[in-house]
């Protein structure tokens, strides 16, 4: 991979974090055949929850942050607790201190106090064609597909390396030809509610790391958020197209492609497969983090006589700030938690069965958090627990 003199200098004589960052980017560029490094307009880093990265992660961030600051606008994924309500979440003091050490290290490097998987709803919204370096698979799927920005599916270290240098290797989804569809998905039933998550789980399993092109689908931005998160969970899908909906759909199909059909029976079977018959001891909505519109819908629920089971509504601190007028109403529906989510917090310490409408959460909670899941529409879940 070609480096400019300035980039060579950073690699040889930069500060510790800059040298490490350049080493990571050069190694990735060489592996994936990048021709050069290109400037980014924003980064989004993952690897911020103490539950996920532990003490080894704190050590890595301590080293990387020595005298180094981000060179592009950078937001970060959810942490393991709400920074204000962590005691209510049952988080032990020692754990909270470790988490705040991680927060402080990122802030020292100039990362914004964002702590959300939906940075595109929290002020860091790229434009079509922007070159960015984002981690967080659901956000990658959203910005590539719904906005038409360009990022590979970065991991925590490579996104941080891009943040600290303002650069990313040009390969993969930064190249036009690699953004074409690899499989056509014909959806033959109208979708609503949890169907988008079920569809994402089905197609993610089938297409793996490919690029699906959906036909017969119309969807709101929130439904696309849910679809993309599920696609990126059961598969590693970084980009999808929807005919007549997403910005790059018109040039996405070039060859004769493999085709699959998804109908009502497939969607219902997938929903059954994701769900158990156990009695939930926690309801967790907001994976990915809830948008303002979703909070408004939740706030409009009339009957709010809680039946005892705790309800979490997870959103970003940014959207929470916009929802000030709704908070009383929302708090009668559930506990509004910011900065965190059901998967990256230590949920296994307080719960065993979680009800959720999220395909991503339904996929990850059993795998990484020892939880059983009840998967259903938000409306049905709320009817059952309010
Ligand atoms: Fe976001 Fe947590 Fe889901 S990071 S996408 S709410 S697993």
């Amino acid at each position: 991979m070609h480096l400019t003199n300035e980039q060579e200098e950073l690699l040889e004589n930069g500060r510790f974090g800059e040298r490490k960052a350049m080493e990571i980017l050069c190694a990735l560029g060489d592996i994936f055949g990048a021709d050069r490094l290109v400037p980014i307009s924003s980064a989004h880093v993952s690897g911020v929850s103490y539950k996920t990265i532990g003490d080894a992660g704190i050590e890595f961030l301590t080293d990387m942050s020595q005298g180094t600051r981000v060179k592009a606008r950078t937001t970060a994924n959810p942490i393991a607790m709400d920074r204000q309500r962590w005691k209510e979440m049952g988080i032990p003091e020692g754990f909270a201190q470790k988490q705040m050490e991680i927060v402080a290290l990122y802030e020292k490097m100039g990362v914004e106090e964002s702590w959300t998987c939906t940075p595109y709803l929290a002020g860091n919204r790229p434009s079509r064609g922007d070159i960015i370096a984002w981690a967080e698979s659901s956000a990658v799927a959203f910005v590539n597909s719904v906005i038409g920005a360009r990022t590979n599916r970065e991991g925590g270290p490579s996104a941080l390396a891009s943040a600290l240098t303002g650069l990313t290797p040009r390969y993969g989804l930064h190249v036009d030809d690699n953004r074409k569809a690899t499989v056509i998905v014909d959806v033959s039933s109208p979708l609503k509610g949890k169907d988008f998550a079920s569809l994402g789980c089905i197609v993610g399993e089938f297409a793996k790391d490919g690029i699906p092109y959906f036909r017969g689908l119309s969807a709101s931005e929130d439904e696309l958020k849910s679809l993309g998160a599920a696609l990126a969970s059961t598969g590693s899908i970084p980009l999808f197209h929807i005919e007549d909906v997403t910005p790059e759909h018109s040039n996405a199909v070039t060859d004769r492609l493999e085709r699959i059909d998804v109908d009502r029976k497939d969607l219902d079977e997938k929903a059954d497969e994701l769900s158990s018959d156990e009695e939930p001891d926690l309801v967790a909505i907001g994976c990915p983090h809830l948008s303002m519109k979703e909070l408004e819908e939740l706030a409009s629920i009339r009957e709010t006589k809680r039946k005892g089971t705790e309800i979490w509504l997870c959103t970003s601190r940014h959207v929470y700030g916009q929802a000030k007028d709704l908070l009383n109403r929302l708090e009668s529906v559930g506990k509004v938690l910011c900065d965190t989510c059901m998967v990256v917090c230590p949920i296994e310490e307080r719960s065993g069965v979680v009800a959720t409408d999220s395909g991503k959460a339904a996929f990850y909670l059993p795998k990484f958090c020892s939880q059983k899941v009840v998967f259903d529409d938000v409306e049905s879940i709320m009817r059952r627990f309010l």
Side-chain angles (χ1 to χ4, degrees), residues 172-218:
L173 293 180
H174 296 298
V175 178
D176 283 351
D177 283 353
N178 298 332
R179 298 179 68 85
K180 307 291 183 202
T182 60
V183 58
I184 291 181
V185 183
D186 282 319
V187 183
S188 56
S189 304
L191 306 192
K192 64 179 180 48
K194 69 178 189 301
D195 292 339
F196 289 92
S198 302
L199 176 65
C201 288
I202 294 170
V203 176
E205 265 167 17
F206 179 83
K208 302 198 168 54
D209 59 355
I211 301 176
Y213 180 92
F214 291 94
R215 297 194 295 208
L217 203 60
S218 66

Side-chain angles (χ1 to χ4, degrees), residues 57-92:
I58 296 182
E59 239 172 80
F60 171 73
L61 292 171
T62 306
D63 291 344
M64 293 298 280
S65 65
Q66 298 306 320
T68 347
R69 280 184 71 80
V70 297
K71 306 268 188 322
R73 177 175 196 182
T74 306
T75 44
N77 240 16
I79 57 175
M81 61 191 205
D82 184 306
R83 280 174 303 157
Q84 289 167 9
R85 304 183 83 171
W86 56 270
K87 283 191 181 148
E88 286 174 60
M89 291 177 70
I91 303 283

Side-chain angles (χ1 to χ4, degrees), residues 78 117 136 138 286-288 341 343 360:
C117 49
E136 174 45 42
S138 68
C287 171
C341 81
V343 172
K360 177 170 177 173

Side-chain angles (χ1 to χ4, degrees), residues 104-164:
L105 286 165
Y106 277 112
E107 288 180 0
K108 184 178 158 199
M109 287 187 271
V111 174
E112 291 176 22
E113 290 186 50
S114 36
W115 324 121
T116 180
C117 49
T118 57
Y120 49 86
L121 300 178
N124 185 8
R125 190 175 178 103
S127 301
R128 184 171 179 180
D130 280 359
I131 297 171
I132 58 178
W134 283 28
E136 174 45 42
S137 62
S138 68
V140 167
F142 187 94
V143 291
N144 271 321
S145 317
V146 181
I147 296 178
R150 297 182 164 215
T151 178
N152 284 315
R153 194 172 139 122
E154 303 293 347
S158 65
L160 182 61
S162 286
L164 293 175

